[in-house]
Amino acid sequence: MRTRPLKVALLGCGVVGSEVARIMTTHADDLAARIGAPVELAGVAVRRPSRVREGIDPGLVTTDATALVKRGDIDVVVEVIGGIEPARSLITTAFEHGASVVSANKALLAQDGAALHAAAVEHGRDLYYEAAVAGAIPLIRPLRESLAGDKVNRVLGIVNGTTNFILDKMDSTGAGYQEALDEATALGYAEADPTADVEGFDAAAKAAILAGIAFHTRVRLDDVYREGMTEVTAADFRSAKEMGCTIKLLAICERSKDGASVTARVHPAMIPLSHPLASVRGAYNAVFVESDAAGQLMFYGPGAGGSPTASAVLGDLVAVCRNRLNGATGPGESAYADLTVSPMGEVVTRYHISLDVADKPGVLAQVATVFAEHGVSIDTVRQQGKDGEASLVVVTHRASDASLSGTVEALRNLDTVRGVASIMRVEGE
Ligand SMILES: NC(=O)c1ccc[n+]([C@@H]2O[C@H](COP(=O)([O-])OP(=O)(O)OC[C@H]3O[C@@H](n4cnc5c(N)ncnc54)[C@H](OP(=O)(O)O)[C@@H]3O)[C@@H](O)[C@H]2O)c1
C-alpha cells in the first residue's frame, strides 16, 4: 500500500459534509485498505468558521474555499455546499488545479452537468455524483456502468422523500395537504421553505440527471415537465382508493417506442396498490428501471439524510481515489445518442378526471361525446348524484397529454359541467 496519503478537500460541513468527515475518520483504515493508500482530510471549507464541529480539527477549517481548491496538492474535492454558486466555480477551479471532484449537488448537475463533465475531461479528471440522486441508493453507477451494455427504456421512481412522507401521511390518515406538510416540517422531513420539494423542482433535477444517463443523451432541467403535489387533496386519495390505487409524486423518464426521442416528467400520479412503488412508505425513495435485457429492476432505500447520503459520497470517493492511483479516470458523460426530448403533449398515459356536473339526463352522453371528439377513449365512468348536482369520475384508456388537455378545455366550455375538480394521471399499469 502507498503510504503517501491522497488529500481530500471537503467543501461544506453541514448535514452531509459532517457525516462524510466522520466516516472518513472512523473508517480510515478500511478506506485506506480498499483504496490502496490512506486518505487525509486536508481542509474543510465552511461559511461560519466559529461553529463547533465535532471531530473536525479546527486547524483544517477555512472560509476561503477558493484558496483551498487552488492549493495544488489536493487530489479530490468533495463538494457538499449545494446550490449553483459558488459550487460551480469551485468545481471548475478544482479541475483546473488537478483535483477530481465528488459532488452531491443535484441542482448544479441538472443545470450545468454537460459543462462540468467537459471541464473534467479537459483536465483528465473524474466527476462523480452518486449522492445527487436518491441519497444512499446506488443508481447513477448502476445506470452508468452496470447497465452500460443494456438498453434502458424507462426509469420510474419516487426520488423525493419529503413529498413521499407527506403523501404517505395523507394516504394513511386521511389528512389534507397542509396538515401532512405541517407534520413533515415538525419532524424535520420538510424544510422551512418546502418549495423545492413540494413543487417538484428537486425531483425534476433528479429526473434530468437520470434521463441523461439512462438514455445516453442530454436532458436539461428545462426539458423536464414539472407539476408539484400541493394541489393533491384528501378527496383525490379517496378516489384513488376506490380505484385500488394510491398517489405518489413520480419522476418518469421514458424512451419512445421508435427509440428516437425521450420524455422526462415529474407529477403526482395514481398507481395501483399492487405496484411495488405503492408500498414505498415514509421518506423512502425507490426507482424502477426497465431495460431490454435485464427486464425490471428496483432500487430502494433512504433517499436523503446525512449518513445515507455520505455513504454514496464515500463510495464515489473510494472510486475516484482508486482511479487516481491507477492514473486513470472513470466513465465520463455519455451523450452520444443525442435524442430529441419530446414535449409533455406527446406523453401517452391514462387519466382520472373528476368533474362536477349538473344532475340531469343527457349530461353523461354530452361528456362522452367530448372525449370521443378528442380521440380519448373512456375506460370507466362513475356518477354520484346529490341535490341536482353530480360528480362524474372518468378514467380513460391511454391517450396523449395534448388530447387530454383539449378534452378538458372543451369540457370546461360545456354548460352542464360546473367544474373540473381534479385531473390525475394513472401510471404503473
Ligand atoms: N441533506 C440531505 O439529505 C441531502 C441528500 C442528498 C443530497 N444532498 C446535497 O448535498 C449538498 C449539501 O447538503 P446539506 O444538506 O449537507 O447542506 P447544509 O447542511 O446546508 O450544509 C451546507 C454546508 O456548506 C457550507 N457553505 C455554504 N456556503 C458556503 C460557501 N460559500 N463557502 C463554503 N462553505 C459554504 C455551510 O457552512 P456552515 O456550516 O458554516 O453553514 C455548510 O457547512 C447539497 O447539494 C444537497 O442537495 C443533501
Side-chain angles (χ1 to χ4, degrees):
M1 180 167 33
R2 189 176 102 155
T3 50
R4 189 160 53 81
L6 288 153
K7 294 195 174 177
V8 176
L10 183 61
L11 310 185
C13 192
V15 174
V16 179
S18 59
E19 282 298 303
V20 170
R22 183 186 64 77
I23 298 170
M24 279 183 70
T25 308
T26 54
H27 295 186
D29 292 345
D30 286 327
L31 290 172
R34 290 169 198 174
I35 291 167
V39 273
E40 177 189 305
L41 196 54
V44 180
V46 297
R47 201 174 27 187
R48 295 166 293 174
S50 54
R51 213 171 158 201
V52 176
R53 298 174 201 271
E54 206 184 315
I56 306 276
D57 174 358
L60 295 178
V61 175
T62 175
T63 52
D64 194 347
T66 306
L68 178 58
V69 297
K70 277 186 174 173
R71 257 171 53 168
D73 65 336
I74 301 296
D75 294 288
V76 185
V77 166
V78 174
E79 184 277 306
V80 279
I81 291 177
I84 305 301
E85 284 295 350
R88 176 172 47 197
S89 304
L90 290 168
I91 290 175
T92 311
T93 308
F95 289 138
E96 287 165 0
H97 287 79
S100 283
V101 173
V102 173
S103 174
N105 195 333
K106 69 216 92 169
L108 180 58
L109 265 304
Q111 183 176 306
D112 282 325
L116 294 175
H117 274 295
V121 170
E122 187 189 340
H123 297 284
R125 295 295 178 249
D126 274 327
L127 172 62
Y128 276 48
Y129 44 92
E130 183 65 68
V133 181
I137 307 172
L139 200 53
I140 303 287
R141 197 159 312 138
L143 285 170
R144 199 149 92 152
E145 298 182 34
S146 319
L147 291 165
D150 204 339
K151 183 182 177 197
V152 175
N153 297 311
R154 196 163 190 242
V155 179
L156 166 79
I158 296 165
V159 293
N160 182 277
T162 304
T163 47
N164 201 57
F165 179 89
I166 295 169
L167 291 170
D168 188 25
K169 262 288 149 228
M170 291 173 75
D171 188 23
S172 57
T173 65
Y177 164 71
Q178 192 58 50
E179 195 186 330
L181 171 63
D182 290 346
E183 184 170 350
T185 311
L187 292 171
Y189 288 112
E191 296 190 20
D193 176 2
T195 310
D197 293 320
V198 299
E199 294 297 352
F201 291 104
D202 173 87
K206 292 165 179 171
I209 295 170
L210 288 176
I213 297 173
F215 305 134
H216 300 270
T217 195
R218 275 193 191 144
V219 178
R220 294 172 303 119
L221 189 52
D222 292 349
D223 294 327
V224 181
Y225 173 83
R226 180 193 53 79
E227 227 176 79
M229 43 72 74
T230 56
E231 310 275 298
V232 177
T233 62
D236 289 328
F237 272 100
R238 285 194 294 275
S239 294
K241 278 200 176 115
E242 279 165 21
M243 281 182 63
C245 288
T246 186
I247 298 169
K248 298 288 187 190
L249 183 75
L250 297 179
I252 305 170
C253 313
E254 284 172 315
R255 189 194 288 279
S256 63
K257 284 252 167 353
D258 65 6
S261 63
V262 297
T263 52
R265 54 193 164 114
V266 168
H267 54 71
M270 291 186 182
I271 52 166
L273 292 171
S274 56
H275 193 283
L277 288 180
S279 53
V280 176
R281 310 296 304 268
Y284 272 75
N285 284 193
V287 178
F288 236 73
V289 177
E290 294 172 11
S291 69
D292 268 4
Q296 291 188 326
L297 305 165
M298 181 153 151
F299 300 82
Y300 172 82
S307 173
T309 307
S311 163
V313 171
L314 263 295
D316 280 354
L317 181 65
V318 169
V320 166
C321 286
R322 284 172 176 163
N323 292 344
R324 192 127 181 137
L325 288 183
N326 291 331
T329 51
E333 185 188 28
S334 173
Y336 72 92
D338 200 17
L339 302 171
T340 305
V341 185
S342 300
M344 186 61 188
E346 289 179 28
V347 165
V348 173
T349 189
R350 297 178 66 208
Y351 302 85
H352 175 285
I353 302 124
S354 184
L355 304 169
D356 295 326
V357 298
D359 193 10
K360 58 183 188 189
V363 174
L364 190 54
Q366 250 185 347
V367 166
T369 303
V370 169
F371 275 88
E373 281 169 358
H374 290 83
V376 180
S377 155
I378 293 175
D379 182 16
T380 58
V381 184
R382 211 178 56 243
Q383 185 167 9
Q384 238 172 14
K386 136 169 155 260
D387 306 332
E389 298 291 299
S391 85
L392 204 58
V393 172
V394 180
V395 180
T396 74
H397 286 296
R398 284 166 64 78
S400 75
D401 218 74
S403 307
L404 198 279
S405 298
T407 308
V408 171
E409 207 179 305
L411 286 171
R412 287 191 207 275
N413 290 331
L414 288 181
D415 289 346
T416 46
V417 173
R418 309 278 187 244
V420 180
S422 87
I423 306 165
M424 185 117 10
R425 297 173 184 89
V426 183
E427 302 286 342
E429 292 177 311

